[in-house]
Amino acid sequence: DAMVIQNPRYQVTQFGKPVTLSCSQTLNHNVMYWYQQKSSQAPKLLFHYYDKDFNNEADTPDNFQSRRPNTSFCFLDIRSPGLGDAAMYLCATSGFSNQPQHFGDGTRLSIL
Amino acid sequence: SQQGEEDPQALSIQEGENATMNCSYKTSINNLQWYRQNSGRGLVHLILIRSNEREKHSGRLRVTLDTSKKSSSLLITASRAADTASYFCATSPPGGGNKLTFGTGTQLKVEL
């Protein structure tokens, strides 16, 4: 089945130690998104790619970076994680317009 | 910032009853989508309704959209224990593109 896969499902890192979360898709969608979701809150969009065009949300901290080396893969890099960055990180994909988004099961990030 | 607010925040019903969730949003939209999220999992797309549509059905789900009131409702008929989840509305802005802004969500619990 075509899907969006996030690895790992659970990630523990130390305060200030860089961490990378990965996302892959077999849907061949042009658009990929990264969301941050804190407990009992709505997902908050961090950034998204239209093909290779990167679009950052205005309130996304500089600490968060992303890479999309090809259509299938997208990475979220957190350069110096703080305690406030502990959250579920969700990757999603879609077509260009009027299309639903397809989500992975997320990576739950804990900061020690 | 949050585009939508959902009401109620939490809803507890008995199996077999109907569940209604409401979503209000602030600005013009291209479409409105509803998603379900089971605990600890990613979001699953339920229904997409375009701004020129007023009602849509999918199985036991019925969605209405009133653009004059900037509101939408999701009705789940004959609910089952498996419907227990959080439900989010999400809006897509006019002018194309597929970026979503999520509402605050409704936690639905269906009891046997």
Side-chain angles (χ1 to χ4, degrees):
Chain A
D1 286 342
M3 55 178 56
V4 180
I5 300 168
Q6 291 188 244
N7 285 307
R9 290 293 313 279
Y10 302 92
Q11 176 75 55
V12 181
T13 191
Q14 291 179 333
F15 182 95
K17 185 175 181 180
V19 65
T20 295
L21 310 182
S22 72
C23 175
S24 65
Q25 58 138 339
T26 60
L27 297 161
N28 205 33
H29 281 159
N30 300 95
V31 193
M32 293 187 79
Y33 311 80
W34 279 105
Y35 291 89
Q36 179 192 65
Q37 186 180 28
K38 296 191 175 180
S39 183
S40 300
Q41 294 185 21
K44 179 179 178 297
L45 183 64
L46 295 173
F47 24 61
H48 65 286
Y49 282 90
Y50 281 111
D51 290 325
K52 292 187 176 182
D53 292 335
F54 176 71
N55 297 270
N56 199 28
E57 292 301 297
D59 56 356
T60 298
D62 292 339
N63 200 23
F64 291 84
Q65 308 272 306
S66 184
R67 296 169 284 135
R68 189 179 185 186
N70 54 51
T71 300
S72 300
F73 287 88
C74 197
F75 300 97
L76 169 61
D77 301 308
I78 308 176
R79 291 192 297 186
S80 182
L83 296 178
D85 296 329
M88 173 80 93
Y89 290 88
L90 294 163
C91 173
T93 72
S94 78
F96 278 125
S97 183
N98 274 321
Q99 299 292 319
Q101 292 188 13
H102 299 258
F103 284 79
D105 272 336
T107 294
R108 182 165 296 283
L109 179 66
S110 299
I111 314 293
L112 298 180
Chain B
S1 62
Q2 299 290 354
Q3 161 73 312
E5 291 191 1
E6 291 179 62
D7 168 53
Q9 284 190 324
L11 180 60
S12 183
I13 59 174
Q14 297 294 119
E15 200 171 48
E17 293 180 338
N18 295 342
T20 300
M21 289 160 262
N22 302 296
C23 168
S24 60
Y25 56 92
K26 297 175 185 173
T27 60
S28 298
I29 62 170
N30 184 37
N31 66 63
L32 186 144
Q33 303 179 33
W34 284 90
Y35 288 81
R36 184 188 75 228
Q37 185 177 34
N38 290 85
S39 181
R41 305 294 298 272
L43 282 77
V44 175
H45 178 260
L46 297 175
I47 287 186
L48 182 153
I49 186 165
R50 301 186 185 205
S51 60
N52 61 352
E53 297 176 312
R54 291 297 165 256
E55 188 171 312
K56 236 177 164 178
H57 297 255
S58 176
R60 294 184 296 113
L61 307 181
R62 172 178 168 254
V63 167
T64 61
L65 178 64
D66 186 336
T67 53
S68 67
K69 295 181 179 177
K70 291 187 170 56
S71 67
S72 174
S73 67
L74 170 66
L75 168 67
I76 304 174
T77 59
S79 62
R80 305 166 182 168
D83 294 328
T84 294
S86 292
Y87 292 81
F88 293 93
C89 67
T91 53
S92 175
N98 214 31
K99 201 170 79 165
L100 293 177
T101 303
F102 283 84
T104 50
T106 293
Q107 274 192 303
L108 174 65
K109 184 176 182 181
V110 182
E111 299 185 84
L112 293 170

